[in-house]
Amino acid sequence: MSLMQPPDGPRTMIDLPVMPAASCEGVVVANVPVSSGLLQLVVEFDSPVTFQPGQFAMLNLAGDSALVFSRPFSIYEAKDRRMSFLYRVVGRGTRALNALEPGAALVFLGPLGRPFPQPDPDQPVVLIAGGVGLPPLAAWLDRQAGRHAGEIDAFFGARDGGDVPWDLLGDRWNISLDSLKDLPAGRQGWQGLVTDLVASRQDLGNRKDRMVLACGPTPLLKAASRLASARGWTCWLSLEEHMGCGYGVCKGCVVPVHDASGGPGHVRNATCCTEGPVFNAADLAWQD
Amino acid sequence: MSLPGWWTIDPTEPFTLGPRQFPGRIWTASGCFAYGLTGHEMKAEGFSSPYQGVGAVVTKTVTPQARPGNPMPRLVETNEGALNSIGLENVGFEEFLAKTLPALEEMGVPTVVSLAATRPEEFGDMVSRLHQAAVGFVHWHGVEINLSCPNVAEGGHDFGRDPDTVAACVRAAREYLPDRALLAKLTPNVTDISGLATAAAAAGVDAVSAINTVVGLEVDLKSGRPVLPRRFGGYSGPAIRPIALAKVDEIITRAKVPVVGVGGIGNDRDALKFFALGAVAVQVGTAQMRDPFTAARIAKDLAGV
């Protein structure tokens, strides 16, 4: 069953100006845990770096130890010549990344992909992040806090209190936890799914023009998409896919999207790395 | 790397292959740099684009009809290689002819068009229409017929394992391609690749590209089933370089046909090994995905610039 009704026209595209990607080497300056499950990698380059929240970079080891494919990571922060990433160790690539000490060289290609769209100046925005889906939304919030005139409500779901990078998040996020264990003194967390926490917030139902931006595991994205659809909100999702190249040549990261330009009900493969990773939820032809 | 004494060629200088002069000897392999329209704006220190010094882009393989490709997952990484089952996803010949090839010509991308079909006549039809539509194009240098894409056919069996089939496909294409280079990309999944090369040469190719991917399979231990939905995939990357070198050597010594070497080339040293055996040019495949500048870097390094 299709998750949502396809939109009437051709699928929605984000058209923010983005920097052309650069291929270069960087040097690790920090690679440290920021919670029980998340690590922060800080990389320094020869020249200043920039990105739009939602964009990602392909990272790899330098020289003969390089993995066959680089790995995609959402960009969390860029300041002058330094860029940082939040990641979780899940497989061979992230294990290799985790072993890098300060001073180690790293191969970089980025920034890549389409970022989150810009909301209207006073449009209310809801951010829904789950686990390692935090970086693009934390980046968005860092850019917009104090500048965006509309309300911003930010929600982050984690496994437990230890899994939350409290110092990094500050006090702008509503926290939901699968389990309340390891909750530091003085910190608060709501037990349950982050999307249920958003749904429980009756005050958010007062406006139809709200924009949801979400990133996290697929069940979270589907729940966010259903919630937004039920409330009449627009919803943009940053998808996580395995990628071979990150710049549109290998066709190894396709996702099915509705494309009315190909006729009613037409579904085609979109390349997640170049047409996404941020997609309008209404465009995705997910099968439940 | 300091270049060895025997290496006296500048691979960014023009060279002749069949009826065409190519701008260089370091190419990108089919399926590994899309159609050659991607990434022109990308930056790297010392390069104006990822296409700098690249002698030809062999396009993603084009088939008579558009193909949506195979279901996900399509890629599996191993320690030293990559297994793919993309399934020849492509825009189809009509769109390629109407939009892609003219765009490549306008952008000045040296192009070899990779074609796949299921019958020899289809190769003839496509090449004939290419020849008519692009007769005045100066950047279209040739056609590479893809006779061996193991992830498309049922059960991983390639189309081009039979010398007579290879010869029939080559003849059909050659008839309509008098003024561009014609290459056949050979499968390594045979006991006698030089037999395929000999058949291709007799039917009129200007060179063979060797090798295409090696049939492979990976198992997901959790489920106990193959990772790829179609079971088999095409194995590529550093792991297949010794296989490619052996096949290239076999073809050069036995079949006496020019060879464009491909298989696991990721840097100047890898490329030199193919040139040392007598390859006239090389193609960079899987390594191009890790870094879009790989072919450009190899060209620059081997030019001694």
Side-chain angles (χ1 to χ4, degrees):
Chain A
M1 180 193 87
S2 171
L3 193 67
M4 299 181 72
Q5 289 302 307
D8 295 332
R11 55 178 229 88
T12 333
M13 301 295 265
I14 302 163
D15 206 14
L16 276 182
V18 295
M19 292 289 291
S23 161
C24 60
E25 284 201 5
V27 175
V28 174
V29 292
N31 193 6
V32 292
V34 290
S35 76
S36 62
L38 292 177
L39 295 112
Q40 183 171 20
L41 174 75
V42 185
V43 185
E44 187 168 273
F45 300 94
D46 286 340
S47 46
V49 281
T50 182
F51 77 110
Q52 296 281 357
Q55 287 193 288
F56 66 97
M58 299 296 287
L59 301 181
N60 206 329
L61 309 183
D64 289 340
S65 52
L67 302 162
V68 174
F69 292 135
S70 298
R71 302 295 197 268
F73 294 93
S74 286
I75 302 167
Y76 167 57
E77 210 172 39
K79 281 182 187 159
D80 191 28
R81 293 187 297 119
R82 290 184 176 189
M83 186 171 269
S84 94
F85 306 87
L86 301 179
Y87 69 101
R88 198 189 285 285
V89 176
V90 292
R92 195 165 153 254
T94 44
R95 268 199 305 278
L97 201 66
N98 187 222
L100 293 180
E101 302 276 355
L106 192 142
V107 170
F108 170 92
L109 179 69
L112 296 162
R114 292 172 186 270
F116 286 114
Q118 189 69 33
D120 293 334
D122 58 354
Q123 187 175 14
V125 177
V126 174
L127 308 179
I128 308 175
V132 78
L134 176 65
L137 296 173
W140 190 92
L141 186 57
D142 281 347
R143 294 272 177 104
Q144 297 296 333
R147 294 170 61 187
H148 182 64
E151 300 165 24
I152 302 173
D153 291 277
F155 298 86
F156 175 59
R159 293 168 183 169
D160 56 44
D163 197 27
V164 180
W166 296 99
D167 293 340
L168 197 138
L169 289 182
D171 54 8
R172 296 177 297 199
W173 292 80
N174 301 284
I175 307 293
S176 82
L177 303 170
D178 297 341
S179 151
L180 295 179
K181 86 179 169 70
D182 298 334
L183 193 61
R187 301 288 192 180
Q188 289 189 330
W190 182 87
Q191 189 171 10
L193 296 176
V194 66
T195 43
D196 289 344
L197 174 58
V198 180
S200 74
R201 281 277 301 273
Q202 297 299 324
D203 58 309
L204 297 178
N206 61 351
R207 291 184 55 168
K208 287 266 188 198
D209 63 342
R210 221 170 275 278
M211 177 186 276
V212 173
L213 308 179
C215 185
T218 303
L220 178 151
L221 298 181
K222 289 185 174 178
S225 179
R226 278 192 297 267
L227 177 66
S229 177
R231 302 275 173 97
W233 303 338
T234 55
C235 181
W236 296 85
L237 306 175
S238 177
L239 305 191
E240 188 182 6
E241 272 295 341
H242 289 287
M243 292 178 183
C245 68
Y247 67 100
V249 301
C250 79
K251 302 291 174 195
C253 65
V254 295
V255 291
V257 295
H258 299 292
D259 189 354
S261 65
H266 179 67
V267 171
R268 68 171 180 88
N269 284 329
T271 308
C272 187
C273 62
T274 52
E275 296 186 58
V278 176
F279 289 89
N280 188 319
D283 290 331
L284 293 169
W286 269 335
Q287 301 297 308
D288 276 341
Chain B
M1 184 189 88
S2 61
L3 295 170
W6 58 264
W7 178 249
T8 55
I9 290 171
D10 179 345
T12 61
E13 289 289 313
F15 82 106
T16 301
L17 187 59
R20 287 300 288 194
Q21 194 172 55
F22 281 73
R25 297 173 188 264
I26 312 297
W27 302 4
T28 60
S30 181
C32 299
F33 213 28
Y35 298 101
L37 297 173
T38 306
H40 285 266
E41 75 294 350
M42 286 184 175
K43 307 288 178 208
E45 195 178 345
F47 295 90
S48 56
S49 93
Y51 294 80
Q52 182 181 316
V54 172
V57 171
V58 184
T59 67
K60 187 159 182 48
T61 295
V62 180
T63 51
Q65 272 79 44
R67 292 175 59 97
N70 286 343
M72 293 278 280
R74 294 174 166 191
L75 291 174
V76 185
E77 186 193 69
T78 68
N79 286 352
E80 294 291 334
L83 197 58
N84 89 78
S85 174
I86 306 295
L88 289 189
E89 176 178 332
N90 78 96
V91 296
F93 185 72
E94 297 304 330
E95 182 172 332
F96 179 84
L97 201 59
K99 295 181 183 168
T100 315
L101 193 60
L104 287 163
E105 177 70 11
E106 197 180 322
M107 295 179 78
V109 178
T111 304
V112 171
V113 178
S114 172
L115 296 175
T118 50
R119 291 178 292 115
E121 311 86 83
E122 287 180 317
F123 281 111
D125 291 345
M126 285 193 287
V127 170
S128 150
R129 292 196 52 209
L130 268 174
H131 180 65
Q132 288 165 22
V135 67
F137 286 16
V138 299
H139 299 291
W140 170 43
H141 294 290
V143 166
E144 180 183 86
I145 56 177
N146 176 359
L147 297 165
S148 52
C149 205
N151 61 51
V152 173
E154 291 272 323
H157 290 291
D158 314 328
F159 182 52
R161 290 185 183 180
D162 167 38
D164 292 340
T165 307
V166 169
C169 293
V170 169
R171 268 196 303 273
R174 181 85 273 178
E175 186 180 347
Y176 300 102
L177 200 69
D179 58 346
R180 319 271 163 165
L182 178 62
L183 298 98
K185 191 166 186 179
L186 301 182
T187 177
N189 304 306
V190 288
T191 47
D192 179 20
I193 197 169
S194 65
L196 295 182
T198 302
V205 290
D206 299 305
V208 295
S209 303
I211 56 174
N212 207 321
T213 52
V214 179
V215 170
L217 185 153
E218 181 60 298
V219 173
D220 173 24
L221 284 180
K222 201 171 162 190
S223 68
R225 288 198 293 269
V227 177
L228 296 172
R230 297 269 174 111
R231 304 179 74 84
F232 302 97
Y235 197 45
S236 66
I240 72 162
R241 192 174 54 251
I243 300 171
L245 288 166
K247 299 291 184 187
V248 165
D249 192 55
E250 197 179 324
I251 295 167
I252 287 174
T253 52
R254 292 194 196 161
K256 316 282 193 231
V257 54
V259 175
V260 175
V262 49
I265 297 173
N267 56 39
D268 52 353
R269 286 165 293 157
D270 300 337
L272 277 175
K273 291 171 188 173
F274 286 85
F275 285 120
L277 295 177
V280 297
V282 296
Q283 298 177 6
V284 181
T286 304
Q288 198 65 14
M289 296 178 190
R290 187 165 68 206
D291 178 4
F293 289 84
T294 307
R297 291 184 205 280
I298 292 173
K300 193 175 189 178
D301 291 345
L302 291 186
V305 180

